[in-house]
């Protein structure tokens, strides 16, 4: 079975990927705006996304969460629009719209039946160039953001634990504060600072426009030029080039929170694709994560959850696409009667085993098989394709990355995976948070 | 499913699910028919006059010899296949053993036909196939997404058939999953949402099977035995109780073979008997859970209609205007946009097999809970009394009919639609006729339908927080005053 399968995979990687990539076009306007067009003619729909290279990592102390706050204000007043107008226009044409802010970017989208494309572009150009911030609207929206923070973080001890863990996971970087910002700073937001933030970062040269769906470049290019062309070029703000940070040292956080189930968070500072000296490190670390947790048959599930029955839930992952170093994380919750010490020891034993003994080739093949099929399945969603193009652009990577992923992973050897565990998953690069219930009753520990 | 988009997928998923803060936008004022502000947007006329594109779905429907209902759509652009098998085997069939449906469903891939859980997982993952199982109130699902080339498709389907045909329900896996579910229940006690959801369901549905907590209870789970699972499987996972939906790059002939083989793998039995329709509450029921959260979460609702009721369409459109339309709904406009009381407030009407509940949910800072509940109740009452304006109706109809193209854009969307059409015995032209029916609704129809079915004083109200919200304690909050209220805490 295994031999046959490897053959199939070889065939598959050759045939699937040698097939031409989905038609994708890239061009840049004179004012610096980058445009990516992905053609997908299966259905008469189109997604328009605009991505700005600004997120929470760019926020100085005192301004945490400002990128997200600005995102909320982008749905309110512009030169031509008052609050509610934008949403009503999108609704009138059956569109879906929203926005999201993360560490490295702020992004907005509209999805419609494809003939609505010109409207989508006009609206997006309007708010790129002509945002107005009304102080009363602003202070009311601060209340909304505070509600959002309560809902997402303050009333969820696991989210709170993750927020605190993030503070030690990448200390001294923009990744150490929450995307939504600290409450004390949200409460002190000023509309003028939001406007400054907008003027500093929302320039055409700092943005990427992604259009995916039932469109062609011929159709799209004149419209993009019509609406975005007149926007003046401005300086693109400085963002430092990603560089590998020195190991931060072994860090440990003990948290007592209103939980009933303890939990364990482990993370290691490792290279990202952007900071790795050799890009191959990125693929090796991906393979390492896949061997540990690339599915129900992978080691975390088969050993910690099923074999030893120590974890009620556990997961490992490598975030190697970012603007600074990546992180390799393992999170777990124990079954009743198992302590966090036991759980941690078992996780470290799994890692140690990998560092000592290279994984089976079959485990690597399995990871690759899922990457191959995942690449095809990913093309089922127009929205997903636009997300991928935009995100890769935000972190400075080429949009062909995912198409080439399986081939790059084929170059990874079992020994390299083992070596990577040995090199990178070491105490000097480790952060750990342990969450225990408030009153450690015998019942809770069981 | 979620396992499959490894690597880049994982990075994106993480970025999307964990760290992203989505702004739900404010709701609208009605858009003037003619744009006022110096003809902005300039594209309005062209877009209004453009002929919207349509994707014609050629749905094939048949029944297998063993009695499964099958729906198929061929899509040839991507080399993949989506299979979805739906059983009338949701938690509504728990029959006094909360968690039985969920556990049975979760146990299916834990061992089958001589294979253990690891063999099954490796089997799918070696092929890059994604197998999933999930259980809901009306239905239980098995799903498979595979590359459509026969060398991937055939072994993946063969494995799925073995799971459907001879699940072994191993005792050790049952013990493990039960422990995981119990641990999951404990984790739910840490946050307000899931606790409220259980309490609200119990309040809303009373003695009806829909009141069953799908995930089980600390009391019920330990009592569920292997024999219970086997009996449940034999009774509900039958060919006659199954709908098979197929979408992807296969021919109709291949689809017929696949459906026959899947159907033949299942036990023989009967289609589950329709449950009685849930009762409408005829007076106000309230419940509150004390919990030390910074927000109070509130759910309101009542059972309105049975499936297939002619008033479903006006209620559906009305709900979109009141609170279902997200960006463009009255509740979002008044409670969030104009007063900053919430991050989200939504209403919904769910066309379930044996009921059609209307529900509203909101979350607000504890100090605002009285005012937010009072305002929400007033907005509902106002809507029931007066119905929508013609402008509100037009916007909702445009929104709902204009978004139909998005409902069948992907294979994944289509297989979901086929599953619903098959499971709920809807006609094949359902999507078209529903769209037409939406266009034909008048503001009066909506008002009348709401007045016939929704009595605001009878809405069940469940809440969780440091104290029960009480609208009587709130100061006056005029409903239609567009001036901002002072919402500072």
């Amino acid at each position: 079975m295994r031999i046959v399968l490897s053959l199939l995979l070889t065939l598959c990687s050759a045939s699937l990927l040698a097939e031409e990539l989905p038609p994708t076009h890239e061009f840049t306007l004179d004012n610096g705006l980058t445009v990516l067009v992905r053609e997908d003619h299966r259905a008469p729909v189109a997604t328009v996304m605009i991505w700005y290279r600004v997120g929470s990592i760019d926020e100085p102390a005192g301004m945490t969460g400002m990128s997200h706050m600005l995102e909320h204000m982008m749905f309110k007043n512009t030169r031509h629009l008052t609050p509610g107008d934008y949403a009503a226009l999108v609704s009138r044409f059956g569109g879906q719209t929203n926005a999201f802010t993360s560490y490295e970017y702020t992004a907005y989208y509209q999805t419609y039946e494809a003939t609505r494309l010109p409207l989508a572009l006009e609206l997006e150009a309007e708010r790129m160039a002509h945002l107005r911030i009304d102080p009363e609207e602003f202070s009311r929206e601060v209340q909304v953001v505070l509600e959002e923070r309560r809902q997402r973080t303050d009333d969820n001890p696991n989210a709170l634990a993750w927020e605190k863990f993030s503070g030690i996971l990448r200390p001294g970087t923009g990744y150490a504060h929450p995307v939504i910002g600290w409450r004390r700073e949200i409460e002190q937001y000023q509309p003028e600072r939001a406007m400054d933030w907008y003027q500093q970062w929302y320039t055409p040269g700092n943005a990427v426009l992604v259009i995916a769906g039932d469109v062609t470049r011929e159709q799209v290019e004149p419209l993009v030029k019509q609406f975005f062309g007149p926007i003046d070029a401005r300086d693109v703000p400085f963002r430092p080039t990603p560089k590998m940070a020195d190991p931060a040292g072994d860090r440990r956080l003990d948290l007592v929170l209103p939980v009933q189930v303890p939990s364990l968070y482990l993370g290691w500072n490792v290279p990202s694709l952007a900071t790795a000296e050799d890009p191959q490190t990125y693929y090796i670390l991906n393979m390492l994560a896949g061997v540990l947790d690339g599915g129900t048959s992978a080691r975390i599930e088969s050993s910690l959850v099923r074999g030893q029955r120590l974890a009620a839930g556990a997961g490992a992952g490598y975030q190697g696409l970012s603007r600074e170093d990546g992180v390799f994380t393992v999170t777990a919750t124990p079954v009743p009667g198992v302590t966090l010490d036991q759980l941690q020891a078992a996780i470290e034993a799994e890692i140690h085993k990998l560092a000592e003994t290279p994984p089976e080739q079959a485990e690597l093949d399995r990871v690759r098989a899922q990457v191959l099929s995942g690449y095809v399945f990913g093309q089922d969603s127009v929205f997903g394709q636009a997300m991928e193009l935009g995100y890769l652009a935000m972190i400075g990577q080429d949009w062909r990355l995912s198409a080439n992923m399986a081939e790059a992973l084929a170059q990874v050897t079992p020994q390299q995976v083992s070596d990577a565990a040995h090199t990178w998953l070491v105490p000097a690069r480790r952060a750990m948070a342990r969450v225990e219930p408030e009153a450690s009753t015998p019942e809770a520990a069981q | 499913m979620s396992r499959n988009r490894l690597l880049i997928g994982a990075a994106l998923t993480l970025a999307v699910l964990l760290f992203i803060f989505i702004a739900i936008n404010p709701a609208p004022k009605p858009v003037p028919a003619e744009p006022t502000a110096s003809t902005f947007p300039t594209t309005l006329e062209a877009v209004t006059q453009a002929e919207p594109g349509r994707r014609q779905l050629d749905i094939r429907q048949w029944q297998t010899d063993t009695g499964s209902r099958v729906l198929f759509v061929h899509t040839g652009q991507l080399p993949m296949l989506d299979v979805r098998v739906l059983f009338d085997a949701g938690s509504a069939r728990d029959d006094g053993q909360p968690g039985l449906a969920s556990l049975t469903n979760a146990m299916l891939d834990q061992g089958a036909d001589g294979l253990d859980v690891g063999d099954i997982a490796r089997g799918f993952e070696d092929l890059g196939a994604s197998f999933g199982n999930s259980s809901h109130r009306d239905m239980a699902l098995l799903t498979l997404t595979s590359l459509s080339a026969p060398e991937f498709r055939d072994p993946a389907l063969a494995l799925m058939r073995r799971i459907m045909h001879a699940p072994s329900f191993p005792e050790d896996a049952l013990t493990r999953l039960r422990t995981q579910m119990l641990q999951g229940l404990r984790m739910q006690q840490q946050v307000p949402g899931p606790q409220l959801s259980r309490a609200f369901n119990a309040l809303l549905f009373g003695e009806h099977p829909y009141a069953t907590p799908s995930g089980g209870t600390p009391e019920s789970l330990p009592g569920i035995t292997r024999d219970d699972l086997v009996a449940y499987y034999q009774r509900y996972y039958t060919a006659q109780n199954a709908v098979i939906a197929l979408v992807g790059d296969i021919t109709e002939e291949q689809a017929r073979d696949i459906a026959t083989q899947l159907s033949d793998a299942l036990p023989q039995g009967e289609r589950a008997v329709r449950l009685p329709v849930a009762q409408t509450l005829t007076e106000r029921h309230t419940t509150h859970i004390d919990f030390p959260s910074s927000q109070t979460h509130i759910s309101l609702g009542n059972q309105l209609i049975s499936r297939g009721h002619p008033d479903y369409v006006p209620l559906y459109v009305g709900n979109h205007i009141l609170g279902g339309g997200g960006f463009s709904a009255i509740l979002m406009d008044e409670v969030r946009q104009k007063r900053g009381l919430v991050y989200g407030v939504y209403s919904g009407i769910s066309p379930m097999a044996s009921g059609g509940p209307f529900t509203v949910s909101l979350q607000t800072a504890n100090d605002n809970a009285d005012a937010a509940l009072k305002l929400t109740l007033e907005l509902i009452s106002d809507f029931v009394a007066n119905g929508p304006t013609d402008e509100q109706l037009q916007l909702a109809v445009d929104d709902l009919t204009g978004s139909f193209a998005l409902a069948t854009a992907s294979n994944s969307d289509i297989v979901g639609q086929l599953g619903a059409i098959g499971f709920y015995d809807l006609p094949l032209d359902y999507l078209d006729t529903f769209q037409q029916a939406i266009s034909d609704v008048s503001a009066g129809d909506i008002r009348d339908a709401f007045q016939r079915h929704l009595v605001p004083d009878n809405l069940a109200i469940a809440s969780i927080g440091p104290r029960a919200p009480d609208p009587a304690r709130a100061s006056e909050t005029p409903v239609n005053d567009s001036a901002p209220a002072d919402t500072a805490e």
Side-chain angles (χ1 to χ4, degrees), chain A residues 5 8-9 12 16 42-45 68 71-72 75-76 80-89 91-103 105 111-113 115-116 118-119 122-123 126 136-137 140-141 143-144 147-148 150-152 154-158 162 179-180 227 258-261 282 286 290 293-298 301 305-306 309 311-312 319 321 333-336 362 366-367 369-371 373-374 376-380 387-388 391 401-402 405 409 446, chain B residues 3-8 11-12 14-16 18-33 37-38 40-44 47-48 50-55 77-80 82 110 117-118 121-122 125-130 145-147 151-152 172-173 175-176 179-180 183 186-187 189-192 292-295 297 327-328 336-344 363-365 368 395 398-399 402-403 405-406 408-413 484-485 487-489:
Chain A
L5 208 78
L8 289 175
L9 284 174
C12 178
L16 276 178
R42 293 175 301 150
V45 302
H68 170 250
E71 178 223 294
H72 276 236
F75 291 87
K76 304 223 161 209
H80 286 128
L81 299 168
T82 59
D85 289 348
Y86 170 84
L89 277 164
S91 289
R92 181 169 165 190
F93 294 99
Q96 296 173 350
T97 182
N98 215 322
F100 31 87
T101 306
S102 188
Y103 295 120
Y105 62 85
T111 301
Y112 299 89
E113 187 280 323
T115 60
R116 283 41 176 140
L119 175 69
E122 186 172 21
L123 289 174
E126 165 80 4
E136 271 189 27
E137 290 290 345
R140 213 159 33 244
E141 201 62 22
Q143 299 305 315
V144 171
E147 291 292 351
E148 182 179 354
R150 286 185 187 99
Q151 200 166 326
R152 288 183 186 279
D154 298 337
D155 283 345
N156 182 340
N158 284 114
W162 181 265
V179 173
I180 200 166
F227 294 113
V259 295
Q260 301 208 5
V261 178
Y282 165 78
N286 265 309
D293 193 24
T296 310
S297 71
E301 282 286 323
V305 178
R306 291 202 299 272
R309 304 205 172 188
Q319 289 88 57
L321 295 173
T333 54
V335 297
R366 197 171 299 134
V367 173
Q370 292 174 83
V371 170
S373 62
V376 175
F377 302 163
Q379 292 178 54
D380 190 36
M387 281 295 291
E388 186 173 305
Y391 183 65
L401 185 75
S402 64
M405 191 83 192
L409 287 175
Q446 223 175 66
Chain B
R3 292 280 184 192
N4 223 294
R5 305 219 40 216
L6 207 66
L7 310 176
I8 288 182
L12 283 173
L14 211 67
V16 173
L18 285 182
F19 310 122
I20 281 173
F21 296 91
I22 293 181
I24 296 161
N25 316 331
K29 300 180 301 196
V31 174
S38 64
F40 181 88
T42 61
T43 48
L44 197 59
V47 170
T48 306
E51 184 62 35
R54 297 204 48 146
R55 180 177 195 170
Q77 299 94 334
L78 290 173
M80 60 185 283
D82 274 285
Q110 297 294 308
V117 53
R122 274 190 301 277
E125 288 164 11
D126 277 337
L127 296 161
S130 175
T145 304
S146 169
L147 295 172
E151 61 266 38
F152 297 99
D172 63 332
T175 306
R176 173 169 43 80
T179 303
Q180 288 178 308
Q183 206 66 333
R186 287 188 194 100
M187 292 180 78
Q189 296 295 313
Q190 302 169 181
V191 286
S293 44
S294 66
Q295 279 189 320
H297 292 223
F327 303 108
S328 323
R336 171 171 159 162
Q337 164 80 355
K338 292 204 178 116
R339 293 177 183 80
L341 291 173
V342 296
Y343 173 58
Q363 303 81 26
T364 184
N368 291 333
L395 184 61
D398 288 346
D399 190 9
S403 65
L406 311 186
T408 54
S410 67
N411 290 0
S412 155
D413 294 330
T487 58
E489 289 181 60

Side-chain angles (χ1 to χ4, degrees), chain A residues 322-355:
Chain A
S322 72
R323 273 198 58 80
E324 294 180 17
D325 286 332
V327 286
F328 197 100
T329 53
V330 179
T331 58
T333 54
V335 297
V338 170
T339 65
L340 292 182
D341 281 337
Q342 290 171 300
L343 194 54
Q344 185 193 340
I347 291 167
E348 288 182 345
E350 281 304 323
I351 292 168
H352 185 71
K353 200 162 91 187
L354 253 182

Side-chain angles (χ1 to χ4, degrees), chain A residues 28 57 75 95 216 249 313 376 378:
Chain A
T28 306
I57 60 168
F75 291 87
T216 61
V376 175

